[in-house]
Amino acid sequence: MKPFGMIPFFIPHVGCPYVCTFCNQSRITGQSGISHLTPEYIQQTIKDYVGTKRNEKFWEVAFYGGSFTAITKDLQHKLLMPAYEMLQQGLIDGIRCSTRPDAVGDEAITLLQSYGVKNVELGVQSMNDGILVDAKRGHTAQEVVEAVTRLKHRDMTVGVQLLPGLKGETWQTIIETAIAVAALRPDFVRIYPVLVIENTELADQYRAGEYEPLSTELAIQYCYEPAMGELVVNEQYKQRIERCIDEHVSQYKYLISNDCFSLIEDATYGSLKLSRVNVDNSGCIDNTNNDRTNYIGNNSIAIKHNIIISYPRSLTSKVRGLKNRNVNTVRCCIDGLQYVL
């Protein structure tokens, strides 16, 4: 498969009937309007992106930043026609747009399909109606269900955009949203953790102490997908390491017949290899120091576990984490268990 080549055109806030508490499209995109999006500009931009690499990527024009199907039909025609002409000429491979769940009726879908649009991304944000009301989204979770169902019935590729961390968000609402979205079986999901942007109602709520922004750590945990790049990948490896250690230590049963012994045991977890070395009791440490120990029969024998985690050199930055965040975090989280990373 060819790598994806996106040619984005931003239509900040155009078509949106509401102003969400978190939204300032002009500040995000650096654009205050779309007067520059003439047919000539659109086609020239497409040519500039593709250049001499027509066959190297799957090129797709994307209209982002507003509610595309909520803008006037005349403006939709004006924006879609130059892209559609490039599609007919074979210069690009597809066209997509983003819009609101309550703006994709059958008529709207028919218009999109007449211009070769096959991919639609829905700004869902949350499947919790309370959070949607508080964020002033203007649509309900049920309208999301209906929109996804309608688009899939019309053989459209459907994407869902989520915004974890809105006011009122908890782990319970995060899980509820994940379950509800998974049940809809969209073709893909984009996850954008909430950022507080200046000149928004959310910024005012933050200053008034009514909203607490996501910490980097919580944003990573909420998202748990590579949408946040390296930090999220770091978190995935950290959790994998912690799980491996817990499973490795809990599953092994000790059989000891004397006071001095040593044992080395290896286990492989995907790209990670875990080795545990039990050293003899001359090198043991007292359990009063909160070190993880093992007890045999009526005699308490403290066994120090030396955990060695090995991995391919190419995964060094991912496993160790940005600025060694995994090394430092895991060291604090494994209850005194010694390891080498």
Side-chain angles (χ1 to χ4, degrees):
M1 295 180 63
K2 296 179 181 179
F4 181 70
M6 183 176 68
I7 308 173
F9 294 97
F10 293 98
I11 52 171
H13 207 74
V14 179
C16 295
Y18 305 93
V19 178
C20 302
T21 60
F22 54 84
C23 186
N24 187 328
Q25 287 288 340
S26 297
R27 189 177 182 89
I28 293 171
T29 63
Q31 298 176 198
S32 58
I34 61 169
S35 59
H36 65 292
L37 293 181
T38 63
E40 295 76 19
Y41 175 87
I42 291 174
Q43 292 195 343
Q44 186 58 53
T45 300
I46 292 172
K47 293 175 182 177
D48 291 342
Y49 266 84
V50 175
T52 60
K53 300 179 180 179
R54 173 64 189 96
N55 296 320
E56 296 181 15
K57 295 183 178 181
F58 181 92
W59 293 100
E60 190 171 49
V61 166
F63 292 100
Y64 284 142
S67 295
F68 193 87
T69 56
I71 65 180
T72 65
K73 291 182 181 179
D74 287 343
L75 184 53
Q76 289 186 60
H77 287 301
K78 178 183 176 181
L79 295 171
L80 288 171
M81 180 57 78
Y84 181 56
E85 291 176 352
M86 296 288 96
L87 181 64
Q88 288 183 309
Q89 294 175 23
L91 192 62
I92 60 174
D93 301 291
I95 305 172
R96 72 169 61 199
C97 70
S98 61
T99 192
R100 297 173 53 84
D102 55 350
V104 282
D106 286 324
E107 186 178 354
I109 297 173
T110 297
L111 189 153
L112 294 178
Q113 291 182 327
S114 70
Y115 283 99
V117 178
K118 295 182 178 180
N119 294 354
V120 175
E121 297 190 38
L122 298 175
V124 171
Q125 323 311 358
S126 174
M127 291 295 282
N128 180 283
D129 282 332
I131 290 176
L132 293 175
V133 170
D134 193 77
K136 298 184 177 180
R137 283 294 297 164
H139 67 78
T140 65
Q142 180 58 35
E143 286 175 302
V144 173
V145 174
E146 295 169 357
V148 173
T149 301
R150 191 178 302 114
L151 286 163
K152 290 177 75 68
H153 181 72
R154 297 287 294 272
D155 296 323
M156 301 289 277
T157 298
V158 185
V160 168
Q161 300 173 353
L162 298 178
L163 198 67
L166 288 168
K167 186 178 178 183
E169 194 83 271
T170 65
W171 270 113
Q172 181 176 346
T173 61
I174 284 286
I175 294 172
E176 289 173 352
T177 290
I179 292 173
V181 169
L184 296 176
R185 302 181 68 84
D187 295 285
F188 61 94
V189 176
R190 295 186 190 274
I191 305 176
Y192 303 94
V194 175
L195 294 177
V196 180
I197 301 171
E198 190 60 272
N199 299 321
T200 63
E201 186 173 341
L202 195 63
D204 295 336
Q205 292 174 345
Y206 161 65
R207 290 193 177 93
E210 300 171 1
Y211 172 75
E212 182 178 352
L214 284 175
S215 65
T216 300
E217 294 298 324
L218 188 55
I220 294 170
Q221 292 173 26
Y222 273 177
C223 295
Y224 206 73
E225 284 295 332
M228 291 183 69
E230 192 72 10
L231 285 177
V232 176
V233 175
N234 294 167
E235 175 69 17
Q236 290 174 322
Y237 274 99
K238 178 177 76 68
Q239 292 189 18
R240 187 180 300 178
I241 290 169
E242 292 172 345
R243 184 171 64 252
C244 290
I245 291 174
D246 287 339
E247 292 177 355
H248 199 54
V249 171
S250 64
Q251 290 176 1
Y252 186 75
K253 306 298 182 183
Y254 296 94
L255 296 175
I256 301 176
S257 58
N258 53 53
D259 292 335
C260 188
F261 64 92
S262 65
L263 173 67
I264 297 180
E265 183 183 6
D266 292 339
T268 301
Y269 300 83
S271 56
L272 300 176
K273 182 180 180 182
L274 217 61
S275 296
R276 186 184 61 197
V277 181
N278 297 338
V279 298
D280 62 39
N281 59 356
S282 63
C284 293
I285 38 184
D286 197 297
N287 192 41
T288 57
N289 293 324
N290 294 320
D291 291 298
R292 190 170 296 181
T293 59
N294 213 41
Y295 297 95
I296 296 86
N298 296 322
N299 299 318
S300 297
I301 303 177
I303 303 171
K304 180 164 61 177
H305 303 287
N306 186 30
I307 300 296
I308 300 174
I309 301 171
S310 57
Y311 47 85
R313 183 178 294 274
S314 60
L315 295 178
T316 297
S317 63
K318 294 178 174 58
V319 176
R320 296 183 68 89
L322 183 66
K323 297 182 179 179
N324 279 339
R325 65 189 308 273
N326 284 355
V327 175
N328 297 327
T329 302
V330 173
R331 179 177 290 122
C332 296
C333 292
I334 58 178
D335 193 25
L337 199 63
Q338 291 194 351
Y339 71 97
V340 178
L341 182 62

